[in-house]
Amino acid sequence: MAVTTRLTWLQEKRLQHHFGGKQFSLLYKASVHEFYSKNLLEKCCNQGPTIIVIYSENYVTGAYLLDSLQEERDVPVILFALQETEISEYKIGSHRLETLFYDMYRNAFGFRVYIKEPPAGFWMDLENKRVTMSSKVNEELGLPEPCTTTFQECEVFRCEGRKIYGKFLLKRTLLFAMSTYKPYKDMVHQIRILLLGPTGAGKSSFINSVKSIFRGHVTNQVLVGCDATGISKKYRTYPIKDGNDGQCLPFILCDSLGLSEKEGLCEEDIVSILKGHVPDRYQFNSMEPITSRHHNYIHSPSLQDRIHCVAFVFDANSVEQLSGEMVAKIKRIRREMIKYGVVHLALLTHVDSMDLITVGDFPDIYSCVPVKLKLETVQRKLGFALSDILVVSNYVSEWELNPVKDILILSALRQMLWAADDFLEDLPLE
């Protein structure tokens, strides 16, 4: 049976962030490997930087060792206390293991002796499940008296940087899959994906991010900004070109005026876009939808002109604040899409600016507790199935591509193409 940590997800994230974004790998758990220093050392020596976590009744304390645990060698030590969500720390300098573990302490002649005060201001008596800290250490960490307390559990983790060596290969695999993708039964030569969502949600930034990945460098061809009414005033269709040979890839991303409660993209225009009546560069008028009298109106759209998949784009940090009017509008639009058989997904942007989420979390982003809660909010508020909600982090201020971020974007794009295939497959036979 796998050995699991007693740390909650939130506690682990707080500690990881506090000590430099490290990833924790559990090496030792006292209740499993027994409460003996000898057992701890057998599991944890020569493992690089480690963190010892001690679970008392009311708080979590421990020591962060900046170098490998080794006998008869000084190791830099930072003591810490985690109380609720606050972490305090106290650097006690470099010490040998025998000054940190009570049952290992020896005098200058190598004999075990018993003393009252821990030489380093801290020591742990694993066998008797006690931890002792000096008054000075207790004060620095903001812990209450007494200086000696009992604990229920002790764990030791290896601390290591995030591993991304396999991410370059996965990114190349996804890029190859996108470049060799063919729409279902070649019914169209390019899939059209429409991006809809509130103003400022990140629709245009997502298009720029996709273009950047395939070009091999960050680009901002599509204008983005923070204007309250949005930057995109026209209906634009953006082919994506392969940076290697300049050939157009088999999908087109379509940008539009943002949704708002009173103005913005009107629902009649959305239906016209879905049906393929709206030409590229059409200037939207929120008070007057397009009609067949418009000089560029597409009267007899082909299947290629139609929208094959829709992605509703939302800012992950503000989706809870969507007004009742906006929620009702989105639900009406979704009903129209269901009526016309158009498959649609939800795309949450700015996931990297959510509390406690960093780029290092992206490989397992859907397992992160804040992201899970956000997906449940979207499901509850807007009715999307959990499997139809995707998360990405767009390129907004960066100048260099990040393979971990690219994988999230390409994975979301792949889901959209698969959804478009579902739409094509479900079309009635003519």
Side-chain angles (χ1 to χ4, degrees):
M1 185 175 66
V3 180
T4 57
T5 179
R6 184 169 166 172
L7 286 172
T8 65
W9 184 90
L10 182 59
Q11 288 174 326
E12 185 172 357
K13 293 302 296 182
R14 292 287 184 192
L15 288 171
Q16 287 175 337
H17 285 203
H18 186 81
F19 291 112
K22 302 294 185 180
Q23 188 173 17
F24 293 172
S25 297
L26 184 60
L27 299 172
Y28 166 85
K29 188 181 182 79
S31 60
V32 175
H33 304 116
E34 299 185 326
F35 288 82
Y36 293 110
S37 299
K38 177 183 176 183
N39 296 14
L40 183 151
L41 295 178
E42 287 178 354
K43 293 282 185 182
C44 306
C45 272
N46 302 311
Q47 294 286 342
T50 51
I51 185 168
I52 302 171
V53 181
I54 304 166
Y55 301 88
S56 302
E57 184 176 355
N58 297 318
Y59 45 79
V60 173
T61 57
Y64 177 52
L65 282 62
L66 282 70
D67 206 345
S68 287
L69 275 166
Q70 290 184 12
E71 294 189 63
E72 299 183 0
R73 178 181 173 183
D74 287 351
V75 179
V77 180
I78 301 175
L79 302 180
F80 69 86
L82 171 58
Q83 301 182 77
E84 296 182 353
T85 59
E86 297 299 320
I87 297 177
S88 53
E89 69 168 47
Y90 180 50
K91 297 176 182 178
I92 60 173
S94 298
H95 296 275
R96 295 194 174 194
L97 293 181
E98 50 265 33
T99 65
L100 301 177
F101 295 96
Y102 176 79
D103 57 347
M104 292 179 62
Y105 187 75
R106 301 289 189 275
N107 63 13
F109 301 99
F111 295 105
R112 182 170 179 175
V113 295
Y114 297 92
I115 57 177
K116 293 182 179 180
E117 289 292 327
F122 163 92
W123 67 15
M124 183 168 53
D125 182 355
L126 262 177
E127 188 172 354
N128 295 300
K129 302 180 184 178
R130 294 182 302 188
V131 61
T132 300
M133 299 186 189
S134 67
S135 299
K136 172 66 173 175
V137 170
N138 262 33
E139 181 182 348
E140 292 290 340
L141 294 180
L143 296 175
E145 299 289 346
C147 294
T148 298
T149 57
T150 60
F151 61 86
Q152 294 81 41
E153 182 65 277
C154 173
E155 296 175 343
V156 182
F157 300 84
R158 179 174 59 246
C159 303
E160 51 196 355
R162 298 280 182 173
K163 298 177 181 178
I164 64 168
Y165 53 81
K167 305 308 174 187
F168 290 98
L169 177 60
L170 179 53
K171 176 184 173 179
R172 286 199 298 269
T173 301
L174 287 168
L175 282 171
F176 179 77
M178 298 295 99
S179 61
T180 58
Y181 163 81
K182 291 185 178 181
Y184 179 76
K185 290 189 175 180
D186 292 323
M187 295 176 68
V188 294
H189 66 274
Q190 284 180 304
I191 292 295
R192 286 182 179 250
I193 300 170
L194 173 64
L195 303 178
L196 290 177
T199 299
K203 301 182 294 297
S204 300
S205 294
F206 179 73
I207 296 174
N208 279 333
S209 298
V210 173
K211 281 180 167 287
S212 297
I213 294 171
F214 284 98
R215 286 191 180 183
H217 62 84
V218 175
T219 181
N220 292 289
Q221 179 183 356
V222 185
L223 291 178
V224 297
C226 55
D227 190 319
T229 60
I231 295 296
S232 303
K233 305 292 186 182
K234 297 180 179 181
Y235 177 64
R236 289 303 317 273
T237 59
Y238 292 98
I240 309 298
K241 294 184 178 181
D242 191 321
N244 293 322
D245 56 18
Q247 296 295 313
C248 286
L249 294 166
F251 50 88
I252 294 172
L253 299 179
C254 306
D255 198 10
S256 61
L257 184 64
L259 300 176
S260 67
E261 288 86 347
K262 296 179 180 179
E263 296 184 350
L265 186 63
C266 62
E267 296 173 39
E268 293 87 347
D269 276 340
I270 296 175
V271 173
S272 295
I273 293 172
L274 295 179
K275 292 181 175 181
H277 294 299
V278 180
D280 184 31
R281 300 180 186 273
Y282 169 72
Q283 181 76 42
F284 289 109
N285 182 340
S286 59
M287 304 303 294
E288 184 179 344
I290 191 171
T291 67
S292 58
R293 296 189 298 274
H294 189 276
H295 62 281
N296 282 334
Y297 184 86
I298 302 173
H299 290 273
S300 301
S302 66
L303 180 58
Q304 178 61 61
D305 296 318
R306 295 169 61 181
I307 295 299
H308 311 116
C309 174
V310 174
F312 282 89
V313 183
F314 304 102
D315 184 338
N317 297 284
S318 59
V319 68
E320 291 95 343
Q321 282 76 52
L322 289 176
S323 68
E325 290 178 86
M326 178 63 75
V327 170
K329 187 170 190 175
I330 291 169
K331 288 183 176 180
R332 286 197 303 271
I333 296 170
R334 289 193 65 207
R335 285 194 292 270
E336 285 297 310
M337 291 180 181
I338 293 171
K339 176 181 176 182
Y340 293 107
V342 179
V343 181
H344 50 284
L345 310 168
L347 184 69
L348 301 186
T349 63
H350 305 299
V351 67
D352 54 326
S353 59
M354 291 173 59
D355 188 31
L356 291 177
I357 298 296
T358 67
V359 173
D361 296 308
F362 285 5
D364 301 307
I365 193 67
Y366 291 95
S367 299
C368 294
V369 173
V371 173
K372 284 184 175 180
L373 295 175
K374 194 70 67 172
L375 300 188
E376 291 170 1
T377 297
V378 174
Q379 179 193 38
R380 182 175 60 255
K381 197 176 186 76
L382 298 171
F384 288 90
L386 288 175
S387 58
D388 290 338
I389 308 172
L390 311 171
V391 296
V392 296
S393 171
N394 292 331
Y395 285 102
V396 178
S397 60
E398 301 90 338
W399 292 101
E400 298 292 336
L401 296 176
N402 184 319
V404 182
K405 179 176 282 197
D406 294 347
I407 288 169
L408 266 189
I409 295 169
L410 291 172
S411 297
L413 181 60
R414 181 175 59 177
Q415 290 294 130
M416 295 175 195
L417 295 178
W418 287 345
D421 281 341
D422 291 339
F423 167 76
L424 295 174
E425 183 180 5
D426 198 47
L427 286 176
L429 296 175
E430 295 183 357

